[in-house]
Amino acid sequence: MKRIALYPGSFDPVTNGHIDILRQTLALADEVIVAIGVHPGKKPLFSFEQRVELIHAAARDAFGAVENERIRVVAFSNLVIEVARAEGAQYLIRGLRDGTDLDYEMQMAGMNGTLAPEIQTVFLPASPTSRHITATLVRQIAQMGGNAAAFVPKAVAGPLAEIVKSGD
Ligand code: ADP
């Protein structure tokens, strides 16, 4: 059976931490569905379409064009387990950076496991080189004129600097 993993998040923008988790997921699953949560009323820095482009550009650079074919990006605004079911995913991927992530993710995994026992949550550990990275801080650094290039893939650094400049 084709192993399908769903990796949900906001990816606003995709960071080196997300790419690290994607790399680990590609080793475990045949297909990875990156599910971008879109919420009416919450204004992201990058549009959904821009985030899709950045994820694919970063994945192509990091893993190559062939591996990039195994990644699909979708939008969702409903429950994560509902989008996992709709996409036929057996695995729900979450990255763990620290104890704070763990406490919250344990609650989510417990509740999702009750709602959808057929979907297995898989926790993947952040690598030491990227475990400190959060998209929220990346956005804040860029918006305050800082250089966030150390935390994001090459394909993201330029568009990030541009979008914050154009938003001034
Ligand atoms: P962030 O928390 O950075 O705003 P998301 O909400 O898009 O990012 O997170 C989506 C998923 O990616 C979550 O499971 C989160 O734990 C994981 N993740 C985010 N950043 C990292 C990182 N630096 N290392 C490992 N996993 C991460």
Side-chain angles (χ1 to χ4, degrees), residues 9 34 37 50 66 77 92 98 103 109 117 120 127 132 147 154 159-160:
V34 176
Q50 288 170 320
V66 175
S77 56
L92 181 54
D98 51 26
D103 287 345
Q120 174 67 54
S127 295
H132 52 285
N147 182 359
K154 272 202 172 64
L160 178 60

Side-chain angles (χ1 to χ4, degrees), residues 42-105:
K42 218 172 134 190
K43 176 121 180 58
L45 184 59
F46 288 97
S47 70
F48 169 72
E49 291 75 17
Q50 288 170 320
R51 282 178 278 172
V52 174
E53 250 178 59
L54 293 178
I55 289 167
H56 279 304
R60 254 192 317 270
D61 289 347
F63 316 125
V66 175
E67 291 291 278
N68 184 41
E69 294 281 306
R70 295 203 284 127
I71 299 171
R72 204 148 55 77
V73 186
V74 301
F76 76 103
S77 56
N78 51 349
L79 289 175
V80 163
I81 53 149
E82 295 301 345
V83 62
R85 275 182 177 147
E87 297 292 342
Q90 305 97 328
Y91 307 107
L92 181 54
I93 304 295
R94 301 296 291 168
L96 290 187
R97 286 168 283 205
D98 51 26
T100 309
D101 271 357
L102 177 67
D103 287 345
Y104 176 66
E105 295 294 342

